Amino acid sequence: MKLHISFRLSPIAAALLLASPVQAQTSTPEQRVVVTGTAAPARLDATPSTGSRLGLSVRENPASVALIDRADIDAIGALDTQDILKLVPGVSFSAQPGSPASVFFRGFNNASLSQLYNGISVQYDAIAARPVDAWIVERVEAIGGPSSFLHGSGAVGGSINVVTKIADTQGDLTHARLAVGDQRQAALSVQRSFGRQVLRADLNTTQGTVDTMGRDRESWQAALSWRSELGTTLSHTLAVEQQHELVEQPYWGTPLLRDAANAVLGEVRIDPRTRGVNYNVLDGKYSQEVLWVRSILEWRLSPATDVSHTAYHYEALRDYENVEVYSWVNGNTQVERSSALLQRHNQDVWGSRGELSHKATIGGLKSDFAAGWDFSFNKQTRYPLSVAGPFDRTDPYAPAASFFYQTPGIVPGYNPGATNRLRTAALFAENRTVLAPGWALTTGLRADRIALAVRNHRTVTATNPALFETSFKPVTGRIGLVHDLTPGWQVYAQYSTAADPPSGLLATAGFAALRDFDLTKGRQVELGSKASFDNRRGELSVALYDIVRENLSITDPNDRTKVVPVGQQSSRGVEFSARWRPLPQWQGSLQLAWTDAKFDDFFETVGTTVVSRAGNAPANTPDWVVGGALAWQATPTLQLAADWRHVGQRFANNANTIWEGAYDLLGLSASWQAAEGVSLRARINNATDKTYSATLGNNLVYLGAARSASVSVDWKF
C-alpha cells in the first residue's frame, strides 16, 4: 500500500528547521585530505550556474540546488546523463524510445520540467534531452521546483542542466579511457594552450548494449572548443559538438499479463521468461544526429561589472522505424503486435542570450544585479506515418521474424505532417541585497513573449486548420530570504512561480491542445536549511516544499468532446541530502526524498464516460526515492565502493488501478591506482539482477537494465 505522510508548510515547520540538531560550524578552515578517488565535501560553497545568474554559492541560494561534478560521475560509473541523475534527490527517470527523456521530479514530469543543455532549452525536452554518454559531461546541476524565471516556460517541477566540457584556463591535460564489458568504450580528452589560445577536443565512442536498449547500439560524440584571450578582460570561446546514435531493434517494452477477464489490473505482472525478449521488427531502429554550435563572449568591464553573450545553434534529425505495442492474447499464450510508426523529426533552434551583472552598494547595503535578454527561434517539422494494426500474433518466447517495410500500410518515404515555428523573446533580472549582517534577500523576474505558428501539411479539418497561431505572455519570478545562523549554517524561505503548456510541448503542440488556452500557472512555497558540520568534513541540505499547478487541460465533465483549462495538480514533499567524510579512509553520501503528488481537479475520458481522477497520484511518480553510497580507501591505491538506490511504489495510470511496488538496486565498484596517472576500475550495476520497471504503462512496462559489468582503464598525463 502507498504510504501517506501529511504535513503543511507552517511556522511550526520553520521552527523545526531552525532547531535542526546540526553541529553547524563557524569559520574553522576546511580540512582537506588528499586520498585517491575521493574528494572532501565542498558542495555548499560551489557556484552552479543553474540556480541563479548572480554567481551565488549553493548555500547563498534560497532553493534546493544539487551539483553533481565530474568526480561524482566517475565514482558511480555513470554511463550517460540520466545515470547521473541518481545523485539528485527525488529524481526518477527512464529512457524508453518514445519518450527517451522521461524524468520525474517533485511530482511532475517531462513537459513540466526544464531539461537544459549548457543552460539552453530546445523546448522539446521530453525527446531532445535523450541521454548522452557521460564522457563529455563536466557536471549536472538541478534546482527543484518552479524555475521559469531562469530559463523560460516548462519548469514547474524543476530544472536540470547538463554542462559539457569546454576549453578553460586550468592548464594542459590528456585523459584517455578504454572500457570493456556489456558496453565497450574508447574516449579521449586533450587540452593544449598556445600562448593566449586554448584548444580542447573531447572524443568518445561506445558500442554494445544491455538488453533494455535493443539488439545493438553505437554512438559517438565529438566536441571541439577554442578559447581566445582577446585582451586582459575579454575572451571568446567557440564550441562545436556533434552527437551520433543508432540503436538497432530498439526495445519498446514488455507486455503485462492479463487476468481471466482479459484485463490488466492490480500489481503489475510479467512472465519472467519474457525478460530480455524484444518483440520489435528485426530492422527496427532509432537514430539521431545532433549538432551544437555556441559562440561565447565574456567581457569584464570593471572589477564589479561583467558582460557575456552566447549565440547558439542546435540542429537535430531523429528517425524512428518500429512496431511499438505488444499485448498478451489467447489467455496469455501469444503476443499480438500493433502500432507501427515511421517518424522523422527535423528540428533547428537559433538563439541569442546576453547578460550583464554588476556588484553595487545601495544605501550602504551590498546589492548585486543581473539582467539580460533571451531570444530564440525554434522550428520543427514532423513526418509521421502511423498504422494501428494489429499485424500478427507470435510465440511470446521466440518471436517470429518480421520486418518494418513488410508491415501492412507502411511505405518508404517521409510526408510532412506539421511544422511548428516558435519565437521567444524574454527579458530577465535578478537581485541579491544584504539587508543586514546574516540576512540576504534574493529576487528574480522574467517576462516572456512567445509566438507559436503551426502549419498543417495534411488534410485541413475543423480541428486541424491549415494554420494555427497563438501567443503567450507569461511573467514568472522568485523571492527568497536566506539567514545565516552561523557562517556554516543557513536557513531559507522562498516563493516562486512558473508557467508551462496545459498539455504537451510547444514545439509539437497544435490546435487541439492550445485553442483558447493560456499557459498553466505554477507556484511553490519552500523552506530549507543547509549546513556544514564536523569541521566541514560533512554537509547536509533539507527542503520542504508545496507546489500547485493550475489551469492544466482536462476533459469537460459536461461535454466529453471538449477540453477546458481548469484542472489542478499539486505536490508536497521533503528532500534531504548529506555527504560526510568522518575519517580520511571513509566517505559516504545519502539522498532521501518523499513526495505526495496528486490531482486536485482532473477529469479524463474512459470510453464514453468522463471520470474524475481527483485525489489520485500522477502516473510513474514514486512516493519515496532514496539513495546512498559508501567508499572505503582500503589501501593508498585501492578503493572499494557500494551504492544503493530505492524507488518506491508507482502507478501506471491516472486511475491508479495498476501499480508496481518498490524496488532496490545495488552497485559495486573497485578502483586501483596501478601507477602514476593510470587507474583501473571494475563496476557491477544492478548486482542482484533485480527485475523492475523503469516506466509503467497500461499495457507495457519498460524494464530497467539487468545486471551488467564493465572494466575500464584511465590514463591521465
Side-chain angles (χ1 to χ4, degrees):
M1 296 178 62
K2 186 174 181 179
L3 177 62
H4 291 276
I5 297 177
S6 179
F7 76 90
R8 294 292 181 202
L9 293 175
S10 65
I12 295 176
L16 288 174
L17 283 175
L18 294 172
S20 176
V22 178
Q23 297 178 0
Q25 302 302 309
T26 56
S27 58
T28 304
E30 181 176 353
Q31 298 187 6
R32 295 186 179 272
V33 182
V34 178
V35 180
T36 302
T38 63
R43 295 295 185 274
L44 295 184
D45 298 311
T47 55
S49 59
T50 303
S52 172
R53 292 185 171 89
L54 294 168
L56 302 182
S57 68
V58 173
R59 71 169 75 247
E60 292 173 329
N61 201 313
S64 175
V65 181
L67 172 61
I68 316 302
D69 66 11
R70 190 67 224 182
D72 295 324
I73 295 169
D74 289 335
I76 64 170
L79 299 175
D80 56 42
T81 49
Q82 268 198 1
D83 219 12
I84 300 169
L85 299 182
K86 295 175 182 176
L87 300 180
V88 179
V91 170
S92 59
F93 49 84
S94 71
Q96 66 272 26
S99 183
S102 291
V103 176
F104 306 89
F105 193 11
R106 290 197 171 183
F108 297 89
N109 65 4
N110 307 335
S112 297
L113 298 175
S114 183
Q115 298 186 60
L116 312 167
Y117 204 75
N118 293 303
I120 301 167
S121 171
V122 299
Q123 299 157 316
Y124 193 38
D125 301 345
I127 301 295
R130 181 179 176 88
V132 177
D133 290 348
W135 177 261
I136 62 174
V137 178
E138 181 64 31
R139 65 186 186 276
V140 170
E141 303 169 350
I143 178 172
S147 43
S148 295
F149 73 96
L150 283 168
H151 304 289
S153 66
V156 172
S159 294
I160 296 169
N161 186 21
V162 174
V163 180
T164 58
K165 298 173 180 177
I166 196 172
D168 56 34
T169 58
Q170 301 303 308
D172 294 352
L173 67 86
T174 303
H175 182 187
R177 174 178 294 171
L178 291 174
V180 296
D182 294 280
Q183 295 187 80
R184 302 172 298 280
Q185 179 186 25
L188 176 67
S189 291
V190 179
Q191 179 167 288
R192 292 292 184 269
S193 301
F194 303 92
R196 301 180 66 83
Q197 314 294 315
V198 182
L199 299 178
R200 176 167 184 144
D202 295 281
L203 309 173
N204 176 72
T205 180
T206 59
Q207 288 188 321
T209 180
V210 294
D211 55 20
T212 54
M213 288 182 179
R215 179 164 51 88
D216 198 12
R217 174 182 181 268
E218 66 174 33
S219 73
W220 57 260
Q221 300 84 39
L224 304 174
S225 53
W226 171 26
R227 180 184 174 97
S228 301
E229 301 295 334
L230 304 177
T232 57
T233 61
L234 183 65
S235 69
H236 176 265
T237 302
L238 177 65
V240 180
E241 182 180 311
Q242 181 80 42
Q243 303 170 12
H244 162 82
E245 182 181 17
L246 172 63
V247 183
E248 297 180 2
Q249 197 183 13
Y251 165 73
W252 282 82
T254 298
L256 292 174
L257 290 168
R258 295 174 175 269
D259 60 22
N262 197 36
V264 177
L265 292 172
E267 189 165 9
V268 301
R269 296 181 301 126
I270 69 166
D271 185 332
R273 293 171 293 177
T274 63
R275 186 186 185 193
V277 177
N278 191 332
Y279 299 100
N280 198 0
V281 290
L282 290 179
D283 57 346
K285 77 169 186 178
Y286 169 82
S287 67
Q288 73 165 0
E289 304 290 337
V290 172
L291 173 67
W292 277 100
V293 180
R294 290 180 292 148
S295 172
I296 307 165
L297 189 67
E298 298 171 301
W299 185 15
R300 170 146 288 189
L301 294 177
S302 72
T305 307
D306 293 293
V307 174
S308 66
H309 178 262
T310 300
Y312 58 88
H313 174 58
Y314 167 87
E315 182 179 311
L317 186 68
R318 294 176 285 268
D319 285 325
Y320 300 80
E321 297 177 5
N322 303 282
V323 173
E324 303 174 356
V325 175
Y326 328 112
S327 307
W328 283 103
V329 293
N330 291 340
N332 295 328
T333 62
Q334 290 182 298
V335 169
E336 182 177 80
R337 296 187 278 202
S338 60
S339 295
L341 179 64
L342 172 65
Q343 174 73 282
R344 166 168 284 183
H345 299 159
N346 191 344
Q347 184 179 11
D348 291 275
V349 182
W350 294 264
S352 167
R353 183 175 62 207
E355 302 176 20
L356 181 147
S357 62
H358 180 66
K359 301 181 184 299
T361 300
I362 299 177
L365 302 178
K366 184 177 183 299
S367 187
D368 298 340
F369 294 87
W373 72 80
D374 198 347
F375 301 148
S376 68
F377 173 66
N378 187 339
K379 176 186 176 183
Q380 180 168 212
T381 301
R382 299 169 302 287
Y383 304 79
L385 172 59
S386 178
V387 180
F391 306 116
D392 67 352
R393 295 183 174 185
T394 187
D395 185 320
Y397 315 115
S402 59
F403 298 90
F404 187 68
Y405 286 106
Q406 294 176 2
T407 304
I410 293 294
V411 294
Y414 297 100
N415 179 22
T419 298
N420 283 42
R421 289 179 170 85
L422 187 64
R423 293 175 171 83
T424 302
L427 297 176
F428 56 81
E430 288 185 72
N431 173 260
R432 179 178 185 266
T433 299
V434 178
L435 303 176
W439 292 90
L441 180 68
T442 301
T443 55
L445 192 68
R446 179 181 173 112
D448 284 83
R449 297 297 180 264
I450 303 170
L452 173 65
V454 182
R455 173 68 65 181
N456 173 24
H457 302 295
R458 302 276 178 91
T459 303
V460 174
T461 66
T463 58
N464 196 7
L467 178 64
F468 169 63
E469 295 181 306
T470 187
S471 62
F472 310 100
K473 299 179 180 180
V475 177
T476 55
R478 177 180 73 171
I479 181 169
L481 183 66
V482 178
H483 176 45
D484 297 338
L485 298 177
T486 73
W489 183 9
Q490 287 71 40
V491 293
Y492 69 87
Q494 63 128 307
Y495 177 82
S496 55
T497 63
D500 62 32
S503 62
L505 300 160
L506 292 180
T508 56
F511 180 76
L514 295 175
R515 60 174 177 178
D516 302 322
F517 280 67
D518 199 351
L519 298 182
T520 70
K521 298 177 181 179
R523 61 180 184 274
Q524 172 183 260
V525 176
E526 180 177 326
L527 301 174
S529 181
K530 306 168 187 178
S532 304
F533 62 94
D534 190 18
N535 289 324
R536 293 186 179 265
R537 286 188 287 263
E539 297 177 341
L540 64 80
S541 300
V542 62
L544 291 78
Y545 63 86
D546 197 321
I547 305 174
V548 176
R549 179 187 177 211
E550 298 176 326
N551 297 340
L552 63 155
S553 59
I554 67 172
T555 301
D556 186 342
N558 300 313
D559 184 351
R560 66 182 181 85
T561 66
K562 295 182 179 179
V563 177
V564 292
V566 297
Q568 180 173 299
Q569 179 181 346
S570 64
S571 174
R572 52 182 178 170
V574 182
E575 294 170 355
F576 174 85
S577 64
R579 295 162 57 91
W580 187 30
R581 179 188 283 162
L583 297 170
Q585 297 82 12
W586 290 92
Q587 179 168 297
S589 64
L590 175 67
Q591 304 91 41
L592 180 151
W594 169 78
T595 304
D596 180 18
K598 64 180 180 180
F599 293 112
D600 303 303
D601 184 4
F602 190 76
F603 291 86
E604 64 179 359
T605 302
V606 180
T608 59
T609 305
V610 177
V611 181
S612 172
R613 302 304 189 196
N616 289 3
N620 285 293
T621 302
D623 47 4
W624 286 95
V625 177
V626 185
L630 185 64
W632 173 41
Q633 197 73 34
T635 73
T637 59
L638 177 64
Q639 183 188 84
L640 304 177
D643 52 84
W644 160 69
R645 180 171 172 82
H646 170 90
V647 177
Q649 176 178 294
R650 295 156 298 151
F651 293 101
N653 53 15
N654 294 335
N656 292 180
T657 57
I658 308 170
W659 68 87
E660 182 177 66
Y663 65 85
D664 295 88
L665 301 177
L666 176 66
L668 302 172
S669 65
S671 301
W672 177 45
Q673 194 75 31
E676 183 177 359
V678 180
S679 61
L680 280 77
R681 180 186 299 272
R683 172 140 185 111
I684 300 175
N685 289 311
N686 191 4
T688 63
D689 203 23
K690 173 70 175 178
T691 300
Y692 68 99
S693 302
T695 298
L696 303 171
N698 281 316
N699 179 64
L700 289 170
V701 293
Y702 184 82
L703 295 179
R707 179 169 50 219
S708 63
S710 64
V711 177
S712 63
V713 57
D714 283 69
W715 184 25
K716 298 180 180 180
F717 60 94

